[in-house]
Amino acid sequence: MKKKTLIMVLTGCMVLSPVSVYAADATETTTEAEVTETAAQEDSADSESTGELGDDIYSFSMEFDGQTGQTMKFPMTYQEFTDMGWELSSSEDPDTKVSTNSYGMLTFNKGASSVYADVINLGINEVGLEDCLIGGISVDGSYDVDLAAVSVKLPGDIELGKATLDDIKAAYGEPSDTYEGDLYTKLTYEKDSYQEVELSVFKDDNTLKEVDMRNFEEPEDYDKGTVSDEVPDIVTSYEAPTALGDDMMDTDVEYMGDLYSLPAPVSAFTANGWEIQNAEDTPYVEGNGLAFIDMMKNNQSIHFSVYNETENATALENCFVRELSFATYDPESIEMKLSGDITLGADKAELIKMADEKGYISEENDDYLRIYPNKDSKIRNYVEFWFNKDEDSNKAASVTAHHE
C-alpha cells in the first residue's frame, strides 16, 4: 500500500487556515484592532461563571452537542478526541503518516455532523494518526453541522446559531483582526502564531455559524519520541567516488583533497578526518529536519548545513551535506574542484559555452552565474559561480556545488 504522508510544515511565519465555502464570493476588507486590555486576555481562572468552559477564548475549549464533562480542549491527544465519539471519515486513509513538525486537516464524523480537525505531529519522528495530537477544529454550522439539532458552545456562553456580533465582542472584547466578506464577518482572536480562534458571523441573520479553533502549543510533558541508534540504509549505501567526472553537473566534488558525491553523509566527512564541533549541542536531527554545525579539519573550521533525509530522528553523522563552496577569500587549504576540473579562476564565457554544449541552462544575476540541467532542478541541483567585479568580472571568485 502506498503511504500517504501529511507534510503541511509548521513555520513561524506561515499560517494556513481553512477556506470557507463562501470564500469565492467574499470581498475582503481587513482592519487591525487597537491593542487594548480585553476580556479575551483575562485569565480563565478569574471567571468560572459559565461552568467548565469558563470565559477565556484563549482556553481553546469547545463543548459539542451538550457533552458536559467532555469539553474539548486543544491540543488534545488523538485518543482523547476519538474517545468523545469522533470517527475518522471513510474518505480519509487511516494509515496516513504525519511528518515531524507537520500537520494536516482531516475530516471526522459524529452522527450526522462532520468537522475538520488539525492532526499535528510535534515529535521528532514520523508517526501514525493515533500518535498525533488534535491541535484544532473547524465547525461549519452553515453546511456540515445542523445547529438546530446540535449545540456547539464556546467560552463566555457563546453558542453557534445564537450568538450575535455584539455578543461575541461583549464576551471577548475587540478582535485582533476583522474580515468583511459579502456573506459574513469574520472575527479573529489571535494569541500567537498557530494559536487563534476565527468566528464567522453571517450577515443574513447576524448569527455565529462557523468557528475555526487552533492551538498548536506543545503540551507539558509531551513525549517527542526517541532517537534510533540504527544507521539508515541511505547512509550505509553511500559510496564515495574514486575520481572526478568530466561534466560540471556531476555530483562528484573534490573538497580539501577528498572526494565526495553530493549529497554526502556527515560520516563520510568524519571518516576523512573532520571533527564535529560541540556535537553535544545538537546530538540528533529530527525527521526530515535541518541542523547547522561546524566541523574542523587541519585547523580549518567550516559551517555546514546538514539535512536528515529520513522520516525519523537520527544522529548528526547520519545527516547529509548538500552543498559545498570555496572562494578566493578562503584559505587555500580548503581547495575545492568540480567535475570537469573546474575551480576558482574559471572563465565565465567558457563556463557558459560548456553549459550550452550540454543543453544546460545558464542564468546570470548580478555578479552570479548559476548553471542547472533544467527548470525543475534550478533550486535542487546546480553549480554557481561568483565573479568579483572589483578584481576580474570574468574569472570565478567562488564556486558552489549544490545537489539534493
Side-chain angles (χ1 to χ4, degrees), residues 65-326:
D65 200 18
Q67 288 183 305
T68 302
Q70 292 191 2
T71 299
M72 295 184 290
K73 184 176 177 63
F74 303 102
M76 60 195 303
T77 68
Y78 188 91
Q79 187 64 52
E80 289 170 338
F81 187 67
T82 55
D83 281 349
M84 291 184 175
W86 293 103
E87 296 181 350
L88 186 67
S89 170
S90 59
S91 64
E92 307 287 3
D93 183 359
D95 296 322
T96 294
K97 300 294 183 180
V98 184
S99 299
T100 182
N101 274 332
S102 302
Y103 73 98
M105 294 177 61
L106 299 180
T107 305
F108 290 81
N109 300 319
K110 178 189 283 189
S113 298
S114 178
V115 299
Y116 288 108
D118 292 316
V119 182
I120 180 173
N121 176 14
L122 298 178
I124 60 175
N125 300 311
E126 181 183 80
V127 296
L129 298 179
E130 66 281 358
D131 294 317
C132 289
L133 297 172
I134 301 296
I137 194 170
S138 177
V139 179
D140 184 355
S142 69
Y143 187 76
D144 294 319
V145 175
D146 182 2
L147 297 179
V150 175
S151 65
V152 181
K153 296 181 179 180
L154 306 178
D157 201 27
I158 297 299
E159 184 172 351
L160 268 69
K162 295 182 180 180
T164 66
L165 197 66
D166 289 341
D167 292 336
I168 295 171
K169 291 182 178 181
Y172 307 140
E174 289 297 318
S176 309
D177 185 74
T178 301
Y179 166 87
E180 289 290 352
D182 290 339
L183 301 175
Y184 58 84
T185 299
K186 181 187 292 183
L187 307 180
T188 299
Y189 292 86
E190 182 177 18
K191 182 178 181 181
D192 206 342
S193 297
Y194 298 102
Q195 291 183 285
E196 63 183 12
V197 180
E198 295 179 342
L199 305 170
S200 296
V201 178
F202 281 68
K203 295 182 176 181
D204 58 349
D205 58 2
N206 188 31
T207 59
L208 172 66
K209 290 192 178 75
E210 289 186 38
V211 57
D212 296 306
M213 181 176 288
R214 173 176 290 172
N215 181 22
F216 287 3
E217 183 177 30
E218 182 178 308
E220 292 184 12
D221 302 321
Y222 176 69
D223 183 2
K224 297 178 74 71
T226 59
V227 182
S228 171
D229 57 6
E230 293 184 7
V231 179
D233 291 342
I234 193 175
V235 177
T236 58
S237 62
Y238 172 83
E239 294 184 4
T242 57
L244 292 178
D246 57 7
D247 185 339
M248 73 172 82
M249 286 306 308
D250 285 349
T251 60
D252 300 338
V253 176
E254 182 179 323
Y255 193 70
M256 285 190 72
D258 299 306
L259 297 179
Y260 302 93
S261 181
L262 299 180
V266 171
S267 58
F269 288 81
T270 57
N272 286 329
W274 290 87
E275 294 183 359
I276 302 173
Q277 305 297 295
N278 301 316
E280 66 278 3
D281 294 340
T282 313
Y284 68 88
V285 180
E286 64 190 15
N288 297 307
L290 163 66
F292 303 99
I293 65 171
D294 294 315
M295 290 195 289
M296 178 177 283
K297 180 180 180 180
N298 297 338
N299 296 315
Q300 299 296 333
S301 182
I302 306 296
H303 195 64
F304 292 86
S305 300
V306 298
Y307 297 81
N308 180 357
E309 306 284 6
T310 70
E311 297 88 354
N312 298 317
T314 192
L316 274 178
E317 290 83 354
N318 299 327
C319 295
F320 282 76
V321 174
R322 296 176 176 177
E323 181 175 299
L324 292 172
S325 298
F326 179 47

